[in-house]
Amino acid sequence: METIKLVYPVEGGDLIEAGEASSKMKLTLKKLGLPQDVIRRASICMYEGEINMVIHADGGEAQVEVDSDQILIRMIDSGPGIPNVQQAMQEGFSTADSTARELGFGAGMGLPNMKRYSDEMTIDTVVGTGTTVTVKIKIPQ
Amino acid sequence: MTVQQLIASMNLTVFHLTDSQRAVTGGYVGDLLSWVMGRAGQDCAWLTIMSNQNVAAVALMADVSCVVLTEGVQPDEDLLRRAKEKSVTLLGTPLDTFTAACKLGQALN
Ligand SMILES: Nc1ncnc2c1ncn2[C@@H]1O[C@H](COP(=O)(O)OP(=O)(O)O)[C@@H](O)[C@H]1O
Ligand SMILES: [Mg+2]
């Protein structure tokens, strides 16, 4: 199969509306007939990444590439960057504000969840410039 | 067990029903959304008191069978709209969360 490329803009700030990019991607993956578990793992990673771009980086862009053997999701923002990635990866670490917390976010589980549900994850970040989180989900053959 | 059977056995309120024949294979209780996404199993019934519209997106991504709002919590208007849009089954019960979870456990056995 030829690589399918999908691009989704993510609006910053509006946590209430967040999840549109992930919902659209999920629908597309379903139409492609991928296994339920693969779709679920990709959707959770994408949603956590989307929420992070909304809460922490004032939006960004999600780029998704689907091949016959893997899904690659890149979440790219020009936000503040992550000063200490190791700390950010710890379960429970969060700098989210009270607005996010009241809505049920900010448990500090987003990046760990992305790690848990992906087969590979990399974080490229420069303080003051932005962050790109890339996750790869393998499709069992 | 199916969603329909769960509704009958727990006498749940139906706010929005998508697929009454969908299987329910477990349960999860939680209000912190990332926690739910990390821990809730696929095809489980998710018990929560959260009623904002993000609940619909989380239910969709985590691929749970249904959301059960406990403690008599009513879905806010936006949540109901989102649940319909995203084909998420949204149910409710006046029971407190602990009692609802016990009943769910019994129903699953
Ligand atoms: N895209 C991002 N830009 C800047 N900081 C981020 C980004 N994603 C995550 N972070 C930082 O890493 C922390 C942990 O992220 P996460 O595990 O998703 O937890 P939460 O979003 O609940 O705070 C965040 O609180 C934030 O400080
Ligand atoms: Mg997060």
Side-chain angles (χ1 to χ4, degrees):
Chain A
M1 124 185 183
E2 241 178 73
T3 305
I4 296 167
K5 292 186 182 177
L6 310 160
V7 178
Y8 304 97
V10 175
E11 293 277 327
D14 193 355
L15 200 45
I16 292 284
E17 291 293 329
E20 282 320 284
S22 313
S23 301
K24 283 185 190 143
M25 183 196 70
K26 180 167 181 177
L27 212 65
T28 304
L29 297 182
K30 239 177 159 168
K31 281 189 191 141
L32 291 172
L34 296 175
Q36 189 182 7
D37 175 62
V38 169
I39 297 177
R40 178 173 191 269
R41 293 196 293 129
S43 302
I44 290 174
C45 289
M46 173 91 155
Y47 186 60
E48 291 287 10
E50 190 180 348
I51 293 292
N52 279 353
M53 286 197 283
V54 174
I55 306 183
H56 306 296
D58 201 27
E61 186 174 272
Q63 301 176 352
V64 183
E65 287 178 24
V66 188
D67 282 292
S68 56
D69 60 342
Q70 68 170 38
I71 303 171
L72 192 75
I73 305 175
R74 263 188 224 101
M75 280 149 298
I76 306 161
D77 68 61
S78 318
I82 305 175
N84 187 337
V85 172
Q86 210 188 332
Q87 187 182 40
M89 283 301 298
Q90 281 169 14
E91 289 198 353
F93 177 83
S94 176
T95 59
D97 64 13
S98 58
T99 322
R101 285 168 199 272
E102 275 155 25
L103 289 169
F105 297 104
M109 297 288 287
L111 293 175
N113 279 349
M114 293 166 84
K115 175 103 188 148
R116 178 195 303 236
Y117 285 120
S118 63
D119 293 296
E120 268 175 52
M121 171 173 173
T122 51
I123 301 178
D124 297 298
T125 184
V126 178
V127 172
T129 303
T131 302
T132 297
V133 180
T134 307
V135 293
K136 193 187 281 183
I137 291 115
K138 289 188 188 147
I139 303 171
Q141 301 299 304
Chain B
M1 187 172 53
T2 63
V3 170
Q4 188 60 57
Q5 287 164 336
L6 181 68
I7 294 169
S9 87
M10 290 182 63
N11 196 20
L12 299 170
T13 310
V14 176
F15 298 118
H16 180 65
L17 182 59
T18 298
D19 179 1
S20 62
Q21 295 311 304
R22 181 161 180 182
V24 181
T25 58
Y28 191 81
V29 179
D31 305 316
L32 293 176
L33 300 181
S34 285
W35 207 277
V36 174
M37 265 189 299
R39 303 288 159 96
Q42 185 173 302
D43 297 323
C44 74
W46 169 26
L47 275 53
T48 183
I49 54 167
M50 274 297 193
S51 60
N52 67 64
Q53 63 173 290
N54 301 104
V55 165
V58 170
L60 178 68
M61 303 312 153
D63 213 4
V64 299
S65 298
C66 58
V67 180
V68 181
L69 300 179
T70 56
E71 315 264 358
V73 166
Q74 301 293 307
D76 71 24
E77 220 173 275
D78 292 327
L79 173 56
L80 198 54
R81 178 174 54 85
R82 285 289 154 154
K84 287 175 186 166
E85 258 174 44
K86 296 187 193 299
S87 300
V88 167
T89 292
L90 190 60
L91 309 168
T93 175
L95 296 174
D96 67 86
T97 307
F98 176 73
T99 309
C102 290
K103 290 222 160 154
L104 171 63
Q106 279 167 6
L108 283 167
N109 269 325

